[in-house]
Each structure stands twice: as structure tokens, then as C-alpha cells.
Amino acid sequence: MKLMPAQIEQFHREGYLFFPGLFSRAEMEVLHAEVPKIYAEQRPEIVREKGSDAVRTSFAAHTYNPAFAKLARHPRLVEPAMQILGEEVYMHQFKINGKQAFDGDVWQWHQDYGTWYADDDMPAPRALNVSIFLDDVNEFNGPLYFIPGSHREGRLEAGHDTSTTSYPLWTIDKETITTLVARGGIVAPTGPAGSMLMFHCNLVHGSPSNMSPWHRVIVYLSLCAVGNHIRRFKRPGYIAHRDFRPIRCLPDDCLLRDDIHAELQTKETA
Amino acid sequence: MKLMPAQIEQFHREGYLFFPGLFSRAEMEVLHAEVPKIYAEQRPEIVREKGSDAVRTSFAAHTYNPAFAKLARHPRLVEPAMQILGEEVYMHQFKINGKQAFDGDVWQWHQDYGTWYADDDMPAPRALNVSIFLDDVNEFNGPLYFIPGSHREGRLEAGHDTSTTSYPLWTIDKETITTLVARGGIVAPTGPAGSMLMFHCNLVHGSPSNMSPWHRVIVYLSLCAVGNHIRRFKRPGYIAHRDFRPIRCLPDDCLLRDDIHAELQTKETA
């Protein structure tokens, strides 16, 4: 998979690219079938919603689950990221965000780079997110909200929100959001399971709660240019990885092949 | 304003009718200008969001604010309700729901009649809501979510939710919502300020939180057939009114006329 120049230009202008239905239903089913197994595990990587058993986010499944280990090396995800960053990439963070039916809570407006800078000392915003919808995403089950063009503002002042939800986040104040939205509006890309969404690590985004009866699981690969690896190891290794080796991609059909096995990482390299 | 037979049939089938832009911008501005004055009042009628000063709901403004007193007698709202209910109507409840930018919280899935039955002993579901958008309503600032056709199930079992938000509500369980949505889906009517939305008192509805920078104020007239008035006076009179006299409509252009004054009700009749 190779991005065209117009797509790269669009990424730099808008801060994101959307590819509805890039993966097949069959490929998504391979991953979808693994999610309940991951959620059933009792490990520190699994963060639950405030006042509920619903899983909010689950880190580093690619280090212990064979199917997600393949996804973490998938060329349809990794190659466009390398193309945009102009360099080999490593996996800074890998998470499965399960915005569960009825219980899935809000993610306040934020930039991912805000957290990676403040907590992990990532030198520059030379990183991006690649997300894959494991479920159909519609306007009711907690789509991602983007403010187009907001990444061009650079890193914005943020406050550490440790109370709204169960996961602490550096969030952006109301006045700044109002200004950015007046300029760029809000978009909420929706599409079938298998859709891919790439976005700049400084793109301001959030997502609403999910009061619908439809689960909404999205996987995020946070890919960072190898030369831009983090310098501070304050957060656990399963949240901010310390394995800065470039990702080696598997074949494009890896998710559907039983003869391909991705290396699982040990706890130390995760 | 007179509904056509096809519209009445649609109301009975789907449980709601939507009239985008029924009121002019000028008419809405008359009301919009009054909202900050109402919110500035310190009275028990004003309910604020949990942990914030943002107004969640404000009751009975038609009993003390002259502009809203006119709205409460507006023929474009009251006449279609009489036509559907086949009887004169009185004002059971009048509220301004201010889902404020950033702070506006969720209303969980519920039927209004569930509360009117359980708390107020309203004999039958011969009542409906007429709502008017004072702001543009879009997918981001907390539109109403309806489950089409759900009113045909009659009154559903409900549990009293006194913890999720600042206003206690009889809400419907997840299993029932899942079944109803599988059958009818979810719709979220959006449109400009001045749009009107009528819905059956047994239509299952809710609304998501508002994390956008756009305020979203909607006024609700809950109109009940005069012969179906409530029998229990447990809740305050400003929430469940005791004035069962039929509403007498004002002229259609009343909102823009200074020579028309609607009667304000005393505290006792509210």
C-alpha cells in the first residue's frame, strides 16, 4: 500500500486520512474473536471504566496475543506511516479502545503528543496514530471527533485531567477548543469494520460516550519515527514501549494465514 | 397549522414528527435573548449539572417570563397536539433543557410517561412532547435520540436512576433497549434553530452529552389531554403543574408582537 502525493498533502493539511473498509470482514473477524480473550485477562494492561467492569482501554496486546502481534506488523498500517514520517518507525504504544455499549465513556479533547511529550519526553511530533475499526462505527456508538487542521497549531497547553474518566489524560481547555472549532469545525469519520484512520499526533481529537447498544472497538497503533524515540521511562513499559527497533512488516495477507507467526515480545521489551 | 392525515398516521407509526425550521430566526431570537436572564435567576426551578454550574434543566419559565408565556400558548405548537390527542390540552410540564457546550450531560434512555405515571399518576399515555430548538442542533451538540416505533410497546419497566446525573429519572434497562433498537434503529433529528419536534410520551428517547463548543437549548412543552390530568401531587407544582385548564392559543405571530401579552401564572397555579 502506497499513499499518493495528494493523500500525503491532505494528511499534512487536514491532519488525518480515512480509508473506509480497507480491511475485509474476514480479516476483522480474526481480530474480533480475540477481544473477549484479552478482556477476560486480569492484567495491569487492562484499564476499566470508572464505576463499571467495561474495558476502557487495553495496552500492548501485540506483546502477548498472536493475532494482534500480526496486526502490529501489518504493511497496510505500517508502510503509509513510514511514508508520511519519511523514516522507519517503532511501536510507541499499542492499544485496543473498547467503547462498550451503554458504558463507554468520553475521551476529552486532547492531542496525543501532549501526553507523549509531558510524560515520555518524546523529542518531536514525528509520530502518528493508525487506527482500525474492529466494529462498524456510526454517529451513535462513540466515533472519533477530529478538529481538522488543528495539528498545525503545534503542541498546545494542556491540563492533566485525572478525574473525569478512569485514565489520566492531558486535555485542552474550552477556550482553545472553541477557537480551533470555529476555524476547522468537527468531523467524525464513520464506516464499516475494517476502516482505517491515520492521524497526526498533534491533531486535536476526542470521542463522546456510547449510549447505544452497539459495542465499538478501535485498535490504535502509535507509530514513532525511530530517531524520535522517547527519552523518559516514567510510565510502565506496556504503555510507553522501550523497544525502539524498526518494525519489520509481514506479508499483506498475514491475518488470514496460519503459517505466519509474528514474534511476541517479552515483558521487558514491551 | 393543521397536520395532514399522512402526518398523523406517521406520528402513530413512528412516534414522532419533525418540522425543520418551522419558526423563523427572528422568532427564536426573541426567546434566545431571554435564556441568560432565566439562567441567572436563583430559584428551585433551575437544576444544574452534577459538579458544574451549567444549567441542565429549567422548569416553568412560562409562569414568570413573558416571552416563554407566549410560547406556551403558541398555535404552531398547541394545535397539532390537540389534533393528535383529539381533545383540548393543558400544560403538564414546561422545561428549557440547556445542554451546554462542553458540560451538557447525558439523558439516559427513558419514556416520559414512565415518570408521569410513576410520580404523578397520569392515568393514560394521552400526552405528548412538543420541542423547539432554540439553537442549531447537530450530531455533535447533544441531539435527541429516538427509537422509532418504541412507543407502540406501551409503558415499559423502568428503574429509578438517581445517580448518573443531577436529575432523577425512570430509565429503561439495557436488554430492552437492545431489543427495541434491533427493531427500530436510532434516529437523531438535527436541524436549524426554530425546528419543532413532536413525540409520543411513550417514545423511548435519550440524549448524549455535549462535548462540542456549541450550546444546545431545547424547550419542551409536555401537553396532556385535559381529561387525562394527573391525580398525584408528589412533585413540586413547577415540575408537574396543577392548572388543568385548557390552553387558549394566541395569534400565530405573537412572538414578534409587543401588543400581545400572555397571562403569567401565579406560583399556586403553576
Side-chain angles (χ1 to χ4, degrees):
Chain A
M1 168 146 170
K2 208 134 181 91
L3 299 177
M4 293 175 299
Q7 289 176 305
I8 295 178
E9 192 191 302
Q10 188 185 340
F11 182 92
H12 289 305
R13 188 177 64 246
E14 301 290 334
Y16 71 99
L17 287 175
F18 185 43
F19 304 85
L22 185 70
F23 286 80
S24 69
R25 291 260 165 204
E27 288 176 307
M28 287 304 98
E29 272 158 27
V30 170
L31 299 171
H32 213 276
E34 298 299 312
V35 172
K37 298 181 206 168
I38 291 169
Y39 284 3
E41 302 231 14
Q42 294 297 330
R43 359 183 4 139
E45 288 93 331
I46 318 275
V47 179
R48 291 174 200 277
E49 298 282 10
K50 223 169 177 171
S52 130
D53 268 344
V55 173
R56 178 174 178 78
T57 185
S58 146
F59 289 101
H62 70 305
T63 62
Y64 62 87
N65 178 284
F68 283 100
K70 285 184 189 177
L71 187 72
R73 291 157 185 82
H74 203 290
R76 257 175 274 164
L77 305 177
V78 175
E79 283 174 1
M82 296 198 317
Q83 216 186 327
I84 283 173
L85 295 170
E87 195 178 331
E88 290 189 304
V89 296
Y90 81 95
M91 185 73 66
H92 169 57
Q93 191 170 82
F94 184 100
K95 55 186 186 282
I96 304 172
N97 280 7
K99 191 165 291 240
Q100 292 203 36
F102 299 108
D103 289 319
D105 207 353
V106 70
W107 289 83
Q108 300 287 3
W109 295 109
H110 68 284
Q111 295 172 310
D112 281 7
Y113 184 62
T115 298
W116 301 342
Y117 171 86
D119 287 349
D120 307 325
D121 194 12
M122 184 185 285
R126 291 197 296 124
L128 51 76
N129 286 309
V130 184
S131 59
I132 310 95
F133 300 178
L134 294 202
D135 293 299
D136 296 349
V137 175
N138 60 43
E139 71 177 284
F140 301 109
N141 66 349
L144 278 167
Y145 288 175
F146 290 158
I147 305 178
S150 55
H151 65 299
R152 296 199 307 264
E153 304 293 316
R155 188 172 55 83
L156 298 161
E157 278 306 303
H160 209 198
D161 176 5
T162 56
S163 67
T164 308
T165 66
S166 59
Y167 184 72
L169 202 65
W170 291 87
T171 61
I172 297 169
D173 65 79
K174 297 177 185 178
E175 290 67 29
T176 307
I177 296 299
T178 303
T179 307
L180 294 173
V181 169
R183 214 174 289 157
I186 304 176
V187 295
T190 56
S195 299
M196 177 177 104
L197 199 44
M198 302 181 65
F199 57 101
H200 193 281
C201 63
N202 267 334
L203 190 72
V204 177
H205 64 289
S207 76
S209 56
N210 178 9
M211 61 184 287
S212 85
W214 300 304
H215 293 302
R216 191 235 64 177
V217 174
I218 298 183
V219 184
Y220 294 81
L221 282 65
S222 300
L223 300 169
C224 181
V226 165
N228 189 47
H229 68 78
I230 63 169
R231 311 299 204 235
R232 188 189 302 137
F233 307 138
K234 192 176 91 174
R235 301 199 293 172
Y238 60 81
I239 295 182
H241 304 314
R242 332 290 201 219
D243 181 348
F244 307 138
R245 288 176 300 169
I247 297 172
R248 300 284 166 234
C249 290
L250 298 173
D252 190 78
D253 58 355
C254 61
L255 288 170
L256 299 175
R257 281 173 61 177
D258 291 333
D259 60 323
I260 294 181
H261 303 280
E263 171 203 6
L264 294 177
Q265 290 176 283
T266 63
K267 256 218 143 117
E268 287 63 43
T269 59
Chain B
M1 167 146 173
K2 209 140 180 87
L3 299 177
M4 293 176 298
Q7 289 175 306
I8 295 177
E9 191 190 303
Q10 188 184 341
F11 182 91
H12 289 304
R13 189 176 65 246
E14 302 290 334
Y16 71 98
L17 287 174
F18 185 43
F19 304 85
L22 185 70
F23 287 80
S24 69
R25 291 259 164 204
E27 288 176 307
M28 287 304 99
E29 272 158 28
V30 170
L31 299 171
H32 213 276
E34 298 299 313
V35 173
K37 299 180 204 165
I38 292 169
Y39 285 3
E41 302 232 14
Q42 294 297 330
R43 5 185 357 143
E45 288 93 330
I46 318 274
V47 179
R48 292 174 199 275
E49 298 282 9
K50 222 170 178 171
S52 129
D53 269 344
V55 173
R56 177 173 178 78
T57 185
S58 146
F59 289 101
H62 70 305
T63 62
Y64 63 87
N65 178 285
F68 283 100
K70 287 184 189 177
L71 187 72
R73 291 156 185 82
H74 202 289
R76 256 174 276 164
L77 306 178
V78 175
E79 284 173 2
M82 297 197 319
Q83 216 186 328
I84 284 173
L85 294 170
E87 195 178 330
E88 290 189 305
V89 296
Y90 82 95
M91 185 73 65
H92 169 57
Q93 190 170 82
F94 184 100
K95 54 184 187 283
I96 304 172
N97 280 7
K99 192 165 289 243
Q100 292 202 37
F102 300 109
D103 289 320
D105 208 352
V106 70
W107 289 83
Q108 300 287 3
W109 295 108
H110 68 285
Q111 295 171 311
D112 280 8
Y113 183 61
T115 299
W116 302 342
Y117 171 85
D119 288 350
D120 307 327
D121 195 12
M122 184 186 285
R126 290 197 295 125
L128 51 76
N129 287 309
V130 184
S131 59
I132 311 94
F133 300 177
L134 294 201
D135 293 298
D136 296 349
V137 174
N138 59 43
E139 71 177 283
F140 301 110
N141 66 350
L144 277 166
Y145 288 175
F146 289 158
I147 305 178
S150 55
H151 65 298
R152 296 199 307 265
E153 303 294 316
R155 188 173 54 83
L156 298 161
E157 279 303 303
H160 209 197
D161 177 5
T162 56
S163 66
T164 308
T165 66
S166 59
Y167 184 71
L169 202 65
W170 291 87
T171 60
I172 297 169
D173 65 78
K174 297 177 185 179
E175 290 67 29
T176 306
I177 297 299
T178 303
T179 306
L180 293 173
V181 170
R183 215 175 288 157
I186 305 176
V187 296
T190 56
S195 299
M196 176 176 104
L197 199 46
M198 302 181 65
F199 58 102
H200 192 281
C201 63
N202 267 334
L203 190 73
V204 178
H205 63 288
S207 74
S209 55
N210 178 9
M211 61 186 284
S212 84
W214 300 304
H215 292 304
R216 189 234 69 176
V217 175
I218 298 183
V219 184
Y220 294 81
L221 281 64
S222 300
L223 300 169
C224 181
V226 164
N228 190 47
H229 68 78
I230 64 169
R231 311 297 204 239
R232 189 187 302 137
F233 307 137
K234 193 176 90 174
R235 300 198 294 173
Y238 61 82
I239 295 183
H241 305 311
R242 332 287 203 222
D243 181 349
F244 307 138
R245 289 176 298 169
I247 297 172
R248 301 284 166 234
C249 289
L250 298 174
D252 190 78
D253 58 354
C254 61
L255 288 170
L256 299 175
R257 282 173 60 178
D258 292 333
D259 61 323
I260 294 181
H261 303 281
E263 170 203 7
L264 293 177
Q265 291 176 281
T266 62
K267 256 222 143 117
E268 287 63 42
T269 59

